Amino acid sequence: MPFNFNKRMLRVMAFACIVMLLFSCKKAIEQQQKNIIIDAMTNGRWYVEQYKENTTDVTGDFFGYEFQFYENGNVDGIKSTSTKRGVWSTDISNYTITAAFPADASDTLKRLNYTWKITDSYLNYVEAKTTAAAGDNILHLRKK
């Protein structure tokens, strides 16, 4: 009997090691993906290439705005000499970006205060969608 017990224990330990290794690899891959996104978002300024509220194109409201994202989770909405600070975060596993500008920000900036599902992206653009009370909002950001 002791021989079978040791064999079973060895299998359990081997299985546990494999599970831990796979979990560790998954975490490392997720961290690498997050690093790539953060690097792409924080290097350079962005502008709103398109914004649709339901079927209404309100892109013009964002004319002159630029956005600077920071690794610490802050984002500046910059227009001319005026800057308003908000916060942002990303969730790699859900393919989302969340933005929040404060209550005293312009109505234009507050239009970004959602969790956005990323529908397409590359190092110099992000296309995202969110559902609001009036319908779906579509956002396209482009790096300058």
Side-chain angles (χ1 to χ4, degrees):
M1 267 318 209
F3 180 75
N4 287 338
F5 175 76
N6 288 336
K7 213 174 187 182
R8 273 190 238 140
M9 283 300 292
L10 185 58
R11 286 183 186 149
V12 169
M13 288 175 32
F15 179 75
C17 287
I18 289 170
V19 168
M20 288 178 14
L21 181 62
L22 290 174
F23 181 75
S24 177
C25 287
K26 182 181 178 200
K27 286 300 232 179
I29 290 169
E30 285 178 1
Q31 185 60 48
Q32 184 64 22
Q33 289 173 331
K34 186 172 184 174
N35 291 345
I36 290 168
I37 289 173
I38 289 174
D39 185 56
M41 292 297 292
T42 59
N43 287 314
R45 288 192 179 174
W46 296 76
Y47 66 95
V48 173
E49 184 174 58
Q50 182 181 52
Y51 192 111
K52 286 187 179 180
E53 287 181 335
N54 200 358
T55 59
T56 305
D57 190 332
V58 294
T59 305
D61 293 352
F62 289 91
F63 182 77
Y65 275 101
E66 294 181 0
F67 298 91
Q68 178 66 57
F69 294 86
Y70 300 96
E71 286 185 42
N72 66 1
N74 289 330
V75 57
D76 288 339
I78 305 160
K79 186 171 183 179
S80 189
T81 59
S82 177
T83 300
K84 190 52 136 179
R85 178 145 295 168
V87 294
W88 76 286
S89 63
T90 184
D91 182 339
I92 299 300
S93 59
N94 290 318
Y95 300 107
T96 61
I97 293 178
T98 302
F101 282 91
D104 65 342
S106 69
D107 288 341
T108 298
L109 290 177
K110 288 190 279 189
R111 282 183 166 139
L112 300 171
N113 289 355
Y114 291 101
T115 295
W116 296 88
K117 180 75 171 177
I118 299 169
T119 57
D120 194 14
S121 66
Y122 195 63
L123 297 177
N124 64 344
Y125 73 91
V126 174
E127 295 178 4
K129 175 180 169 180
T130 194
T131 301
D136 289 340
N137 293 352
I138 305 295
L139 173 66
H140 294 186
L141 292 175
R142 174 84 52 188
K143 190 180 279 193
K144 284 185 79 175

